[in-house]
Amino acid sequence: MRTVIVDYESGNLHSAEKAFQRMAREGDAGEVIVTSDPDTVRGADRIVLPGDGAFAACRAQLFDHRGLFEAMREAVIDKARPFMGICIGMQMLATRGLEHGETEGFDWIGGTVGPIRPEDASLKVPHMGWNDLILDQPHPVFDGIETGQHAYFVHSYQFHVNDPAHLLAHADYGESVTAVVGRDNLIGAQFHPEKSQATGLAMIANFLRWTP
């Protein structure tokens, strides 16, 4: 069993690598490697796509690595391997992003990534720090996790899903802010599970044994 964390030079992958490797060891869930090799991604049993920064820049960076997106699509869409997107890696699942203009997303989960607009002017953007998760749909990746547990967010834009069934969890930040999306073999977290202590580690462990 091999889980790959896709390296397309978008952000520091060290904390994600260590968190996934730790939970793989504890759960006897095989190996976790970081790679930018399309053939390795194509053959993976599970795929994790992280991302830090702006939607358009991350997408451009991913597609600059020739063959990497195509390999990921083959594994995730054609072969239905379990997939987790983190932060911008989750946002790129959308149909489009509106950060610094309009940018095409993967369109794996229908929706639009738009700016956070809290009604309370005292709430600053970016939404940064700890917030309570509010679970909207049951999901195997939430096993042992309850509404009210904390997760660590850093973002200025959020994923507005077209189908409410694809919204799995949200947070309250002057408005409902999407926290987790998913369908079929896809799951995406706006927060950083690798930085979310017990809640995030539980979610990672659940993902590593999830069999959609």
Side-chain angles (χ1 to χ4, degrees):
M1 183 71 68
R2 173 180 280 181
T3 298
V4 302
I5 300 174
V6 179
D7 180 9
Y8 58 108
E9 300 176 72
S10 178
N12 181 2
L13 302 182
H14 181 73
S15 57
E17 179 184 14
K18 294 307 178 187
F20 276 84
Q21 287 178 343
R22 172 186 168 184
M23 302 319 293
R25 285 194 305 271
E26 292 185 7
D28 194 22
E31 66 174 342
V32 175
I33 65 169
V34 174
T35 185
S36 59
D37 176 59
D39 288 336
T40 303
V41 171
R42 190 175 289 109
D45 298 294
R46 297 173 192 278
I47 293 176
V48 178
L49 182 69
D52 290 318
F55 186 105
C58 285
R59 187 189 184 283
Q61 193 77 4
L62 176 63
F63 279 79
D64 277 348
H65 288 68
R66 296 188 63 178
L68 193 53
F69 173 74
E70 290 77 10
M72 192 169 63
R73 182 176 58 197
E74 182 178 330
V76 176
I77 300 303
D78 298 345
K79 298 179 182 176
R81 301 284 191 252
F83 171 93
M84 176 183 279
I86 297 173
C87 196
I88 308 300
M90 168 266 223
Q91 291 184 2
M92 285 193 288
L93 293 171
T95 308
R96 61 179 186 151
L98 302 181
E99 187 173 5
H100 307 311
E102 183 171 334
T103 303
E104 182 180 352
F106 300 168
D107 198 24
W108 291 358
I109 296 179
T112 299
V113 176
I116 299 171
R117 293 193 175 99
E119 294 180 5
D120 184 346
S122 70
L123 296 173
K124 303 300 183 184
V125 177
H127 172 212
M128 182 182 300
W130 295 91
N131 208 327
D132 292 353
L133 287 180
I134 301 167
L135 307 186
D136 297 296
Q137 314 271 358
H139 194 281
V141 173
F142 294 151
D143 186 28
I145 298 171
E146 299 178 353
T147 285
Q149 291 184 220
H150 303 313
Y152 186 78
F153 292 81
V154 184
H155 64 123
S156 300
Y157 288 75
Q158 70 152 319
F159 192 152
H160 300 279
V161 294
N162 291 343
D163 185 342
H166 297 157
L167 176 64
L168 304 185
H170 72 279
D172 182 6
Y173 192 70
E175 64 169 331
S176 177
V177 173
T178 297
V180 183
V181 300
R183 71 167 181 85
D184 304 324
N185 59 310
L186 308 171
I187 192 91
Q190 178 62 67
F191 59 90
H192 287 269
E194 75 278 10
K195 298 178 181 178
S196 295
Q197 299 181 358
T199 301
L201 292 176
M203 190 169 175
I204 290 170
N206 291 337
F207 171 75
L208 291 171
R209 57 175 173 259
W210 178 38
T211 54

